[in-house]
Amino acid sequence: MTTITTTTSMHNLTTITTNKPTVAFTTPPNYATRLSHLLTLKSFTPLWCPTITTEPTEQTLSSLALHLSPHSLSLLSAIAFPSRTAITAFSTAALSLTTPLLPPREDTFIIAALGKDVELIDSTFLLSFCGDDISRVNVLVPTIATPSGLVQLLGTGRGRKVLCPVPRVVGLEEPPVVPDFLRELEAAGWVPIRVDAYETRWLGPACGKGVVELSEGGLLDAMVFTSSGEVEGLLKSLREFGWDWEMVRRRWPHLVVAAHGPVTAAGAERLGVTVDVVSGRFDSFQGVVDAVEAKLRGLDSSCM
């Protein structure tokens, strides 16, 4: 029988036995249930080892609310949401404000979001934002679910302003994703207005403890990263235990490392973590789960 681990809390693990492949993942709490469910459906044993949190704070919500006043919104032509948490933070900040938020205007307002994140821009969201007349808003979803895809779909800015709710990074180096996103918008003629809508925060020195403890006898078949911040968070914690990524590879030489899309893969490689599988469909976690299944079970898949 194969020994695997399951989480009993955020960082403490116990062992059980099964013959299912063990797939570790490092997503923050607000994404963990979805990814764990998809892994379970593929007959994997999910091992949650979170290394970061992504959530709004009172400070970020207050800052975001300042950009949602009628006067501030009247100066904008678009809002570009580069993450699901950004939309959640926006909706939370709007709860304390008079709705609908969008003042009368002649032109159509643009809201852009990535992949399945657009599910959160539902009728409740739109009612709060623009009232009954949803024709005042054009919701855009790029075919390629990356920040660069957002920029391409938004087109030429012609000096118009776009609000960009992005994370403030705490305890880690800010990855190049957000700065590159803002630079691409500027290059396309937009005036990006950055607002720190939520925090991406390192979970601390002990967040990699589960991986280290598993090395004492547990098997690990794959590890899934959904952001480069998760990768850096794990590496930073491993160093606290006297480990590095090469030690992980030596302990599990056949470990499959999977990245949720090319942006995450590039970030992992930049940090010295070689990626074996990159999901070709990254508008949802289903793509990376399918890619892991194909790799572990030797299937032919267009996800890889």
Side-chain angles (χ1 to χ4, degrees), residues 162-272:
V162 53
L163 184 67
C164 303
V166 297
R168 183 168 75 94
V169 181
V170 180
L172 300 169
E173 294 293 325
E174 182 177 49
V177 178
V178 169
D180 288 349
F181 175 51
L182 301 178
R183 278 193 293 269
E184 287 182 37
L185 284 168
E186 289 179 346
W190 289 91
V191 179
I193 307 300
R194 174 175 180 155
V195 55
D196 293 337
Y198 60 98
E199 284 187 353
T200 293
R201 181 179 291 270
W202 184 43
L203 276 172
C207 67
K209 184 178 180 181
V211 174
V212 175
E213 289 184 341
L214 189 62
S215 70
E216 297 174 3
L219 296 181
L220 185 59
D221 299 283
M223 184 173 293
V224 175
F225 296 113
T226 66
S227 73
S228 60
E230 296 169 28
V231 181
E232 185 185 354
L234 177 61
L235 295 177
K236 190 173 180 180
S237 176
L238 289 177
R239 288 194 291 270
E240 297 286 337
F241 292 96
W243 277 53
D244 58 23
W245 186 249
E246 289 303 316
M247 293 177 67
V248 174
R249 280 296 197 182
R250 286 196 298 270
R251 175 61 186 84
W252 297 287
H254 302 294
L255 178 70
V256 172
V257 177
H260 178 52
V263 174
T264 300
E269 298 279 355
R270 177 176 54 85
L271 292 166

Side-chain angles (χ1 to χ4, degrees), residues 32-93:
T33 300
R34 272 196 303 144
L35 183 51
S36 179
H37 176 66
L38 292 173
L39 290 168
T40 301
L41 290 177
K42 294 291 187 180
S43 296
F44 295 138
T45 298
L47 168 62
W48 184 39
C49 188
T51 62
I52 60 173
T53 59
T54 56
E55 58 188 4
T57 66
E58 289 187 13
Q59 182 180 1
T60 61
L61 290 175
S62 296
S63 177
L64 181 54
L66 293 176
H67 292 272
L68 304 185
S69 68
H71 172 70
S72 296
L73 284 174
S74 69
L75 302 177
L76 300 173
S77 296
I79 300 174
F81 292 109
S83 72
R84 194 177 188 90
T85 308
I87 302 174
T88 301
F90 184 98
S91 296
T92 302

